[in-house]
Amino acid sequence: MRRASSDSPTFSPLYRQIKELLLKALDSGEWQPGQLIPSEAELAQRFNVSQGTVRKAIDELAAENLLVRRQGKGTFVASHKDPRAFFRFLRLVPLSGEIEPARSVPLECWRAKAGPEAARMLELSLGAPIIIVRRLLEFSAKPVVLDEIYLPGEVFAGLTLELLKESQESLYSLFESRFGVRMVRAEERIRAVSADRSSAELLRVPEGSPLLSVERVSFTYGNRPMEWRRGLYSTIDHCYFNELS
Amino acid sequence: MRRASSDSPTFSPLYRQIKELLLKALDSGEWQPGQLIPSEAELAQRFNVSQGTVRKAIDELAAENLLVRRQGKGTFVASHKDPRAFFRFLRLVPLSGEIEPARSVPLECWRAKAGPEAARMLELSLGAPIIIVRRLLEFSAKPVVLDEIYLPGEVFAGLTLELLKESQESLYSLFESRFGVRMVRAEERIRAVSADRSSAELLRVPEGSPLLSVERVSFTYGNRPMEWRRGLYSTIDHCYFNELS
DNA sequence: GAGTGGTCTAGACCACTGC
DNA sequence: CAGTGGTCTAGACCACTCG
């Protein structure tokens, strides 16, 4: 491992090159979500750099929530099985009272061909196979979110409504354990819309009620889009919470 | 500077103690927004620690956007005059096309006494003097956001509609230069609501249209709330953009 | 060239976990 | 107790900015 020299136009410091190597190992599945990765000393030896350099690479990956450090134990691959990860990707809090567990109610799951919008969002070619899932999220047995989820068909080939219904874990947790796809980051675009008839019925609000429309694209390692979804959120008892800094 | 010993229940590493000292200096106004702070070497000498320890303290403050490092120049106090800071606190992007500059149109500015809600949000006592500002934000001469802003009256004593109208800078930039208050972070709670008559007129949308309601509490150093605002966003041509990780 | 932040190293020691 | 990450130091050198 040698650093790119300063005159190189693609100069990047050593610790960033190490970071890329770690990312590649994560992407390749060498270390699975939830698993312990080698110690800093071991990695330093493997890459022929000092421990401090490995440390800085891991620092950045931990800051991006790809790795989780636990003092005395080691460094682990982040996993959606961790309940703390759940609210990182569902920024919904009750207007009053404590946060409660969500219950997912799968409604439908079918195969289709990517239209122009889905193809663009998922970076697939037009007509590529996709899977569409519709489901409700309930809090205290009341429907709050109606999701329509578009997935690349090849990656999630074995996904069925039955599988979704049997699964006790969160959706992203299922993607991880069953399809080897870990969602790493996402972009959300939020608008206010009026409930159409079918959404209103499912969410048990009057037709025409204002709802949040939350469009999300989720990415796995290497910024590859792996999910496009549109959620309709009823904000009668909940709100979308965001922290700015 | 000595570290708290490990048996101490309030153990905190040296670099965090340095961070607190830097925060205190920022809060006290020793270094003003936009200004250069002393070099790492100087600070290390002042606090009697190594440069690496100062560096780690500054690292965290830079990650929280309180300081900005510029290689070769030095470390600066973050400022809302920096145009990049603007979109950190207004996560609004056009549905299509490039991001455009916003224009603020102040509508009203009056004195009042804090009601129960404003008092709670701003951590003031009931009936404490507050200032209320109403203003529109326009993009390409079209109204997009209607804000109602509640400020503690004592801190923002000299604020008037005239001052707001004369000011060419952003609101937070004005707070900084004119009242010495720097907003450091904020919490937003987003819901979908229907436009009432007066909001609909100002935003030039039909009455009853769905709007985003964005409630924000902004904090200055030390997590002291300094602003409570409610914005109504028309999401016909724009959407609220958020990145999850 | 002087001064700043940025990188990299090596070594010592501390704090936490689990055997 | 051994092994892990966490802190702190000191020193060398690199990259960037500006006069």
Side-chain angles (χ1 to χ4, degrees):
Chain A
M1 200 79 249
R2 270 300 107 225
R3 65 183 306 165
S5 66
S6 87
D7 45 66
S8 161
T10 57
F11 166 74
S12 99
L14 241 191
Y15 74 89
R16 243 180 238 289
Q17 301 175 43
I18 304 298
K19 185 183 172 187
E20 289 309 311
L21 291 174
L22 294 175
L23 265 171
K24 207 183 295 179
L26 286 166
D27 192 9
S28 78
E30 178 174 348
W31 309 312
Q32 291 294 315
Q35 277 185 356
L36 181 68
I37 74 169
S39 74
E40 295 180 353
E42 248 175 291
L43 291 169
Q45 205 167 13
R46 166 172 352 172
F47 298 128
N48 258 299
V49 298
S50 79
Q51 180 173 342
T53 300
V54 170
R55 188 168 181 73
K56 194 152 184 187
I58 293 179
D59 275 346
E60 289 202 351
L61 292 170
E64 294 167 20
N65 292 307
L66 299 191
L67 295 176
V68 178
R69 325 182 81 135
R70 290 189 219 163
Q71 184 171 148
K73 291 184 168 182
T75 302
F76 298 77
V77 182
S79 165
H80 286 286
K81 266 163 201 154
D82 181 343
R84 281 164 299 188
F86 189 72
F87 276 89
R88 286 221 323 275
F89 282 83
L90 181 65
R91 306 255 170 129
L92 206 59
V93 298
L95 288 180
S96 61
E98 290 301 295
I99 55 174
E100 321 148 291
R103 182 169 159 262
S104 177
V105 183
L107 303 175
E108 304 174 82
C109 175
W110 74 93
R111 266 67 187 161
K113 290 192 185 306
E117 199 172 18
R120 194 177 78 248
M121 293 302 189
L122 293 173
E123 292 178 11
L124 297 173
S125 43
L126 207 65
I130 60 171
I131 300 174
I132 306 177
V133 174
R134 276 161 55 87
R135 67 108 179 245
L136 276 173
L137 278 185
E138 296 182 345
F139 293 87
S140 327
K142 286 197 287 191
V144 177
V145 177
L146 173 61
D147 275 321
E148 191 158 296
I149 303 170
Y150 297 74
L151 301 164
E154 306 217 332
V155 179
F156 294 94
L159 188 62
T160 61
L161 189 60
E162 289 64 47
L163 185 59
L164 290 167
K165 281 183 171 165
E166 287 162 16
S167 163
Q168 293 303 308
E169 41 190 1
S170 79
L171 201 54
Y172 283 3
S173 187
L174 177 72
F175 290 173
E176 224 175 70
S177 55
R178 187 79 184 217
F179 302 96
V181 176
R182 176 169 160 76
M183 302 301 186
V184 153
R185 52 172 283 272
E187 296 177 351
E188 294 196 325
R189 287 175 176 80
I190 307 173
R191 306 176 63 199
V193 299
S194 290
D196 63 21
R197 182 154 178 178
S198 87
S199 310
E201 269 178 26
L202 286 163
L203 290 169
R204 287 185 226 151
V205 295
E207 191 175 339
S209 298
L211 297 175
L212 287 189
S213 158
V214 181
E215 275 199 50
R216 178 196 294 180
V217 183
S218 294
F219 302 84
T220 187
Y221 299 112
N223 273 323
R224 300 198 301 277
M226 273 291 155
E227 180 202 56
W228 173 46
R229 68 161 78 178
R230 186 184 187 215
L232 292 173
Y233 292 27
S234 161
T235 54
I236 298 171
D237 298 318
H238 295 76
C239 64
Y240 187 103
F241 181 82
N242 195 25
E243 197 159 347
L244 312 181
S245 66
Chain B
M1 200 80 249
R2 272 299 107 228
R3 63 184 305 167
S5 66
S6 87
D7 44 66
S8 161
T10 56
F11 166 75
S12 99
L14 241 190
Y15 75 88
R16 244 181 238 288
Q17 301 175 43
I18 304 297
K19 184 184 172 187
E20 289 309 312
L21 291 174
L22 294 174
L23 266 172
K24 207 184 293 178
L26 286 167
D27 192 8
S28 78
E30 179 175 347
W31 308 312
Q32 291 293 316
Q35 276 185 356
L36 182 68
I37 74 169
S39 74
E40 296 180 352
E42 249 175 289
L43 291 169
Q45 204 167 13
R46 165 170 355 170
F47 297 128
N48 257 299
V49 298
S50 80
Q51 180 174 341
T53 301
V54 170
R55 189 168 178 74
K56 193 151 183 186
I58 292 180
D59 275 347
E60 289 203 351
L61 292 170
E64 294 166 19
N65 293 307
L66 300 191
L67 295 176
V68 178
R69 327 183 81 135
R70 290 189 220 162
Q71 184 171 157
K73 291 186 168 181
T75 302
F76 298 77
V77 182
S79 164
H80 285 286
K81 266 164 203 154
D82 181 344
R84 281 163 299 189
F86 188 73
F87 277 89
R88 285 221 324 274
F89 281 83
L90 180 65
R91 307 255 170 129
L92 206 59
V93 298
L95 287 180
S96 61
E98 289 302 296
I99 55 174
E100 322 149 290
R103 182 169 159 261
S104 177
V105 182
L107 302 175
E108 303 174 81
C109 174
W110 72 94
R111 266 67 187 162
K113 289 190 186 306
E117 199 172 17
R120 193 177 79 248
M121 293 302 189
L122 294 173
E123 291 178 12
L124 297 172
S125 44
L126 207 66
I130 60 170
I131 301 174
I132 307 177
V133 174
R134 274 161 55 88
R135 66 108 180 246
L136 276 174
L137 277 185
E138 297 182 345
F139 293 87
S140 327
K142 287 198 286 190
V144 176
V145 177
L146 172 61
D147 275 322
E148 191 158 295
I149 302 170
Y150 297 74
L151 302 164
E154 307 218 330
V155 179
F156 294 94
L159 188 63
T160 62
L161 189 59
E162 289 65 46
L163 185 59
L164 290 167
K165 282 182 172 165
E166 287 161 18
S167 163
Q168 293 304 307
E169 40 190 2
S170 79
L171 201 54
Y172 283 4
S173 187
L174 177 72
F175 290 172
E176 224 176 70
S177 54
R178 186 81 185 214
F179 302 97
V181 175
R182 177 169 159 77
M183 302 302 187
V184 154
R185 51 172 284 271
E187 294 176 352
E188 293 196 326
R189 287 176 177 79
I190 307 173
R191 304 177 63 201
V193 299
S194 289
D196 63 21
R197 184 156 176 177
S198 86
S199 309
E201 269 178 26
L202 286 163
L203 290 169
R204 288 185 225 150
V205 295
E207 192 176 339
S209 298
L211 297 175
L212 286 189
S213 158
V214 181
E215 274 199 49
R216 177 196 295 181
V217 183
S218 294
F219 301 85
T220 187
Y221 298 113
N223 272 324
R224 300 197 301 277
M226 274 291 155
E227 180 201 56
W228 174 47
R229 69 161 78 178
R230 186 186 188 214
L232 293 173
Y233 293 27
S234 161
T235 54
I236 298 172
D237 298 318
H238 296 75
C239 65
Y240 186 104
F241 181 82
N242 194 25
E243 197 159 346
L244 311 181
S245 66

